Amino acid sequence: MIHRSVLRDRCVALLTPSIEKSADPIVVDATLGMGGHSEALLESFANLRIVGLDRDKEALAIASHRLERWSDRIDVVHAVYDQIPEVLSELGINGVDGILFDLGVSSLQLDELERGFSYAHSAPLDMRMDKSAGLTAADVLETYEKSQLIRILKVYGEEKFANRIAENIIKARAVGGLKSTTDLAELVKASIPAPARRIGGNPAKRTFQAIRIEVNQELEILQRALPKALNAIKVGGRVVVMSFQSLEDRIVKEVFQEASESKSPRELPIEIESLKAKFELVFRGSEKASAKEIEENSRAQSVRLRAIERVAS
Ligand SMILES: C[S@@+](CC[C@H](N)C(=O)[O-])C[C@H]1O[C@@H](n2cnc3c(N)ncnc32)[C@H](O)[C@@H]1O
């Protein structure tokens, strides 16, 4: 299947001023995936070095192969992106000119049906982006208390019928538990009243999103990672983030807002220099993909892009 990186040219354009300002520019691709964005950046700037991270070893292998031509200008690292400071310090790098986050799962992960991300195919309940670590979806479904399941389904899945689904997950344990993605998808369908089943696409979508977010600790990691990313940026450097669901985008928006607000008391006649904001939003609000890109790549449908620049040390 053809994989197209979302907002590829826009991301390159947003990082260009920061890369061009620097004599020996470095960009962190925090979500290397199959290396589409990194490829575009390496192609565009002959002096650019990239540090590419991913928690998925399979993605790293594919990206390394794809970016082989530039192997002297890219470090490929198996890491979770809240480890950016540790990765940079290990590489002896003090500050970087850009950091790109293309959040969520990759099309590679969705296409590999046996990884259990898809409710449309029968597979083991795994859903880990890093197959070498952490709890699987089956572990969550088998061991979490009802109240924890309800919270996850409500908060991460915005699921109205969280109580009924959680109740049925607990009941299923008594009869041998859920064995596959299809078992879970069927349980969700059976938990939802018939009229609600007819609207809003597959009813399992929200539950699968919720369990995946919990399994990969996606929101906690993002919340920890963004301040660390801002800290690693040099003056003139930018952080660019693409989110694909509202919970992620809310975190990005809040962290960027906080970083770009002056802490100087408003009632003072002049702004206190040391309390001025160290960051400025590159544009207000978030950007979406064009209708043309959405037509060519359905993943672009839900993207929200935000960018911030460091203006003071
Ligand atoms: C949408 S894909 C990136 C696609 C990439 N930009 C491209 O053009 O090919 C997201 C990638 O981020 C990785 N990822 C998600 N959360 C991560 C985290 N917390 N730390 C490191 N990698 C993560 C996933 O494993 C996946 O490979």
Side-chain angles (χ1 to χ4, degrees), residues 48-162:
L48 176 66
R49 176 175 171 195
I50 290 207
V51 178
L53 315 184
D54 206 294
R55 68 198 301 190
D56 181 344
K57 287 183 189 161
E58 282 176 37
L60 291 176
I62 293 174
S64 301
H65 182 66
R66 178 175 184 176
L67 305 173
E68 217 165 16
R69 275 178 288 168
W70 299 288
S71 57
D72 54 333
R73 293 201 278 128
I74 179 160
D75 292 282
V76 169
V77 187
H78 182 229
V80 178
Y81 52 55
D82 65 345
Q83 296 167 323
I84 288 175
E86 292 82 353
V87 171
L88 293 180
S89 116
E90 206 137 290
L91 293 168
I93 297 171
N94 273 325
V96 297
D97 303 285
I99 304 186
L100 176 66
F101 290 87
D102 176 9
L103 301 176
V105 278
S106 68
S107 37
L108 167 81
Q109 289 159 338
L110 291 172
D111 291 347
E112 281 192 334
L113 302 178
E114 75 279 5
R115 299 185 67 167
F117 288 109
S118 166
Y119 46 79
H121 301 271
S122 185
L125 286 156
D126 191 329
M127 301 196 202
R128 287 171 303 169
M129 292 189 205
D130 180 351
K131 284 200 282 185
S132 64
L135 294 182
T136 64
D139 296 330
V140 169
L141 294 163
E142 270 161 33
T143 63
Y144 277 29
E145 285 181 15
K146 187 166 135 194
S147 59
Q148 288 176 291
L149 291 170
I150 293 173
R151 186 187 65 82
I152 291 165
L153 294 169
K154 272 196 181 149
V155 180
Y156 299 163
E158 296 171 285
E159 173 57 71
K160 272 197 284 187
F161 303 103

Side-chain angles (χ1 to χ4, degrees), residues 160-161 192-201 203 206:
K160 272 197 284 187
F161 303 103
I192 288 179
R197 264 183 243 156
R198 281 183 227 112
I199 44 169
R206 291 183 296 274

Side-chain angles (χ1 to χ4, degrees), residues 4-11 14 37 102 241-244 249 283 285-306:
R4 288 194 193 86
S5 300
V6 176
L7 294 174
R8 184 181 142 129
D9 296 344
R10 182 65 181 137
C11 289
L14 281 168
H37 289 99
D102 176 9
V241 187
M242 281 179 283
S243 314
F244 293 85
D249 186 51
F283 48 85
S286 66
E287 287 183 2
K288 298 180 184 178
S290 67
K292 182 171 177 290
E293 178 167 355
I294 294 170
E295 202 178 295
E296 290 164 1
N297 183 3
S298 59
R299 199 177 120 76
Q301 171 93 49
S302 49
V303 70
R304 296 292 177 271
L305 174 79
R306 295 183 188 268

